[in-house]
């Protein structure tokens, strides 16, 4: 069952009318900052994918699969307990505060934490077979995509095993002691890395600059949005909004109990 909730009834339209142009101007401003931020972050994501494709050859994937097999045999011992369940959650993001990772969430659910030092988005090939094996063995998992490439895994948490794997990058390094630390960058073919070193260094600098520009625009977008809220707030009946929220919450809870 679906229905629309009309919150516009709580606006003082007559009070808002004199500041209509101010509202439209600030709205255009913050939307412009968001568009530019998304362009910068999108370009950074494409360049990160370009670096990954330079190094992510078949030999690299085989090395990572072999390392994953060793971890599986060591950490996922015991008979199968049926199919495990996967919850997908974003653990990290690029925000107006920069690159943010909720590392305390990992520490709260796992004691044994593998730190994957990875500047070229290679971790997915290590994490994917570990996730598949863990689910087949009946272990529940929290799978955390890379925010810059949501089709690739960046982190895994197995609360029932008190085990986690986190990707540590230059922008968001793992800040605590790790149970084990794996330098995935060393998995790259040394000849390929040496041949492309100038290009990789240049691309990393450009990615860093694009991320910085994207964060700057997110900061400016938030500032503009805050100004927009300050324009609106005096003309909103928040008692009515909160009352509606309370009534809806009671309706939802009543449905849950039936």
């Amino acid at each position: 069952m679906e229905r629309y909730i009309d919150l516009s009834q709580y606006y003082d339209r007559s009070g808002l009318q004199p500041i209509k142009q101010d509202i439209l101007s600030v709205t255009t401003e913050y939307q412009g900052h968001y568009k530019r931020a998304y362009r910068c972050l999108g370009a950074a994501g494409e360049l990160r994918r370009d670096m990954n494709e330079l190094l992510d050859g078949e030999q690299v994937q085989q090395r990572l699969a072999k390392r994953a097999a060793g971890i599986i045999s060591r950490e996922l011992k015991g008979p199968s307990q049926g199919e495990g369940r996967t919850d997908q959650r974003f653990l990290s993001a690029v925000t107006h505060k920069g690159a943010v990772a909720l590392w305390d969430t990992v520490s709260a659910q796992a004691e044994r934490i593998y730190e994957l030092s990875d500047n070229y988005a290679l971790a997915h090939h290590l994490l994917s077979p570990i996730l598949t094996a863990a689910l087949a063995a009946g272990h529940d998992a929290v799978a955390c995509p890379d925010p810059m490439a949501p089709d690739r895994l960046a982190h895994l948490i197995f609360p029932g095993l008190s085990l986690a794997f986190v990707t540590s990058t230059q922008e968001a390094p793992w800040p605590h002691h790790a149970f084990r630390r794996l330098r995935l960058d060393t998995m790259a073919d040394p000849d390929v890395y040496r041949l492309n070193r100038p290009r990789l260094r240049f691309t990393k600098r450009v990615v860093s600059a694009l991320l910085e520009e994207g964060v700057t625009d997110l900061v400016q977008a938030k500032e503009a949005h805050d100004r927009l809220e300050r324009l609106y707030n005096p003309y909103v009946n928040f008692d009515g909004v909160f009352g509606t929220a309370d009534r809806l919450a009671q309706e939802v809870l009543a449905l849950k109990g039936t």
Side-chain angles (χ1 to χ4, degrees), residues 65-78:
K66 183 177 180 180
R67 180 61 66 90
I71 293 172
I72 291 167
S73 65
R74 184 169 59 248
E75 297 288 359
L76 304 177
K77 297 176 181 178

Side-chain angles (χ1 to χ4, degrees), residues 165-238:
F165 300 84
V166 297
T167 296
S168 180
T169 65
Q170 182 178 340
E171 295 82 19
W174 172 251
H176 308 302
H177 175 73
F179 173 67
R180 280 194 170 88
R181 185 171 187 265
L182 307 180
R183 293 183 58 212
L184 300 192
D185 296 352
T186 63
M187 297 286 179
D189 185 292
D191 292 332
V192 174
Y193 180 82
R194 187 164 46 250
L195 179 65
N196 291 283
R197 184 181 299 169
R199 178 176 172 180
L200 290 167
R201 286 179 175 174
F202 172 76
T203 304
K204 284 179 71 174
R205 288 197 300 270
V206 175
V207 168
S208 180
L210 285 168
L211 287 173
E212 186 175 339
E213 283 295 307
V215 169
T216 297
D217 272 290
L218 288 175
V219 169
Q220 293 171 337
K222 183 181 184 305
E223 290 174 350
H225 191 271
D226 289 346
R227 293 203 308 275
L228 183 62
E229 287 192 343
R230 287 196 293 271
L231 288 169
Y232 266 110
N233 283 355
Y235 306 100
V236 178
N237 176 6
F238 285 104

Side-chain angles (χ1 to χ4, degrees), residues 131-147:
L131 175 60
T132 299
L135 294 176
H139 302 293
D140 293 340
V142 180
C144 307
D146 182 341

Side-chain angles (χ1 to χ4, degrees), residues 83-87 131 134-135 137-142 157-161:
E83 188 70 18
R85 184 180 60 127
T86 306
D87 289 326
L131 175 60
L135 294 176
H139 302 293
D140 293 340
V142 180
I157 308 172
F158 301 102
L161 297 172

Side-chain angles (χ1 to χ4, degrees), residues 119-155:
N119 289 302
Y120 300 110
L122 300 174
H124 175 79
H125 296 303
L126 181 80
L127 297 177
S128 184
I130 293 173
L131 175 60
T132 299
L135 294 176
H139 302 293
D140 293 340
V142 180
C144 307
D146 182 341
M148 301 289 286
D151 58 325
R152 303 173 70 87
L153 287 171
H155 319 283

